[in-house]
Amino acid sequence: MNQPLKPLVLFGYAALLLLLIAAPTEYIGVYPVFMMKLLCFALFACSFNLLFGYTGMLSFGHAAFLGGSAYITGYTLKAWGITAEVGLLLGTAFGALLGLVMGYLAIKRQGIYFTMITLALAQMLYFFWLQAPFTGGEDGLQGVPRGKLLGVLDLSDDMTMYYVCLAIVAIAFLFIIRIVHSPFGHILHAIKENEPRATSLGYDTNRFKLLVFVLSAALSGLAGSLKTLVLGFATLTDVHWAMSGHAVLMTLVGGMGTMAGPLVGAAVVVAIENKVGEWGNAIAALSGIEWFRSLGESVTIVTGLIFVVCVLLFRRGIMGEVLHLLRGSKN
């Protein structure tokens, strides 16, 4: 990060945090559950960006970590009656363990072969979750209780749950920042730029790639666990390969290899998915073209169009282009 931009970036993070704190209050009035869903997907996108944006490893299996941890957390909360914090820890640990196994098998290959191995392993797990007796099959795992955090905070209240969710995501985001700007993060960047050169310098690149894969999987697992706690259910959508595509979409739209990019990408994608029906009705009312009322059922068309526009006009993603312009103005 350029030194002249550092104060501006810190100010931006502080402003974003204040905005998120005020979002569900009467001053802004955003629905808390919508904001919590956005935060969960933002964390999911940031965890994927740690692997893809900063290490150059394109995984199409991250849905396995998000959805698998969602099922584990949901089942343990519902069937075992454990507390919320233990459920989140179990889900995160499951994501890390699954990442260790998948990563060990996948990192031995590079490029498209690595990508296809992660996709294949994730699809194998998809059919496991489909047939497992405790997941509810196509109906999903329903009625997951929120319970209390540390036996004190009643998470059934949406406002309390929102600020707990915000705190968890903020801490995870700071953890990702610390990883990226540490010596370990610099090695990851070297692997992305020129892996043979990093190997020639004496680094065991496979060990570093496995470690970042596990870290990314654990953070994705935390996002999935938190999503189940917030929404009260886990479904096959969470483990479907399209969810991995969502991570790619949010990262590329927001800006691959930038810290704030996945946050912006997640906000754009989640907002489109939740509001496109309302926007379609409004456009239909103004234009008189009834076809726009069907946009809510064809949200993939809109997200695909947004993706194409970003690829053609914003090659660095939204935040990537913003940072490029700011760096240009500082020179």
Side-chain angles (χ1 to χ4, degrees):
M1 182 187 303
N2 291 353
Q3 285 301 115
L5 285 181
K6 191 171 182 179
L8 184 60
V9 171
L10 293 176
F11 174 78
Y13 285 149
L16 176 61
L17 181 60
L18 291 176
L19 179 63
L20 290 173
I21 291 173
T25 64
E26 60 182 6
Y27 300 103
I28 300 180
V30 182
Y31 190 41
V33 175
F34 168 76
M35 288 300 301
M36 286 186 280
K37 181 180 177 182
L38 192 156
L39 287 172
C40 292
F41 277 109
L43 177 56
F44 181 45
C46 286
S47 66
F48 175 79
N49 185 50
L50 177 63
L51 184 68
F52 182 40
Y54 289 100
T55 317
M57 301 166 65
L58 175 58
S59 166
F60 255 104
H62 263 53
F65 313 130
L66 178 88
S69 296
Y71 275 125
I72 293 299
T73 296
Y75 178 75
T76 53
L77 288 173
K78 184 178 181 179
W80 297 355
I82 62 176
T83 56
E85 66 276 7
V86 176
L88 291 174
L89 288 174
L90 286 175
T92 305
F94 177 80
L97 180 61
L98 188 59
L100 179 63
V101 175
M102 287 182 61
Y104 179 79
L105 296 173
I107 62 167
K108 297 178 181 180
R109 296 293 180 266
Q110 297 179 355
I112 189 63
Y113 302 104
F114 168 83
T115 302
M116 296 311 296
I117 289 174
T118 58
L119 175 61
L121 293 173
Q123 283 301 98
M124 291 170 60
L125 289 169
Y126 170 82
F127 288 105
F128 169 77
W129 298 118
L130 175 63
Q131 300 177 23
F134 64 90
T135 62
E138 294 182 354
D139 296 327
L141 183 64
Q142 308 287 338
V144 178
R146 290 181 179 174
K148 293 184 177 181
L149 185 69
L150 302 174
V152 178
L153 295 176
D154 185 10
L155 300 180
S156 61
D157 179 67
D158 283 343
M159 292 297 287
T160 303
M161 182 71 240
Y162 173 76
Y163 288 114
V164 169
C165 180
L166 176 60
I168 293 173
V169 173
I171 292 171
F173 185 69
L174 290 174
F175 178 61
I176 293 173
I177 292 177
R178 178 59 186 145
I179 292 173
V180 170
H181 292 95
S182 67
F184 172 71
H186 295 156
I187 297 172
L188 297 181
H189 182 73
I191 292 173
K192 176 186 176 183
E193 295 299 322
N194 194 330
E195 185 174 347
R197 184 178 181 185
T199 302
S200 69
L201 292 174
Y203 295 111
D204 185 353
T205 56
N206 281 344
R207 184 166 63 91
F208 285 98
K209 289 194 293 184
L210 179 59
L211 181 54
V212 74
F213 195 94
V214 172
L215 288 171
S216 179
L219 290 167
S220 296
L222 176 60
S225 300
L226 197 57
K227 180 175 175 288
T228 296
L229 188 65
V230 167
L231 300 180
F233 60 83
T235 67
L236 289 174
T237 303
D238 298 328
V239 290
H240 194 264
W241 67 267
M243 185 60 70
S244 299
H246 259 58
V248 178
L249 177 65
M250 290 184 288
T251 302
L252 292 180
V253 168
M256 180 184 71
T258 64
M259 290 306 307
L263 304 179
V264 175
V268 170
V269 172
V270 173
I272 288 174
E273 290 183 343
N274 283 268
K275 299 296 183 180
V276 70
E278 298 176 12
W279 297 341
N281 291 333
I283 295 173
L286 291 173
S287 65
I289 302 175
E290 290 300 313
W291 178 84
F292 285 104
R293 298 189 187 277
S294 65
L295 281 181
E297 302 172 1
S298 307
V299 65
T300 52
I301 295 177
V302 180
T303 53
L305 180 62
I306 295 294
F307 178 69
V308 170
V309 170
C310 284
V311 168
L312 293 177
L313 300 181
F314 307 102
R315 298 296 296 274
R316 301 178 181 87
I318 296 173
M319 284 306 301
E321 293 292 345
V322 170
L323 292 174
H324 178 72
L325 292 174
L326 289 175
R327 291 190 182 103
S329 65
K330 292 292 182 180
N331 294 334

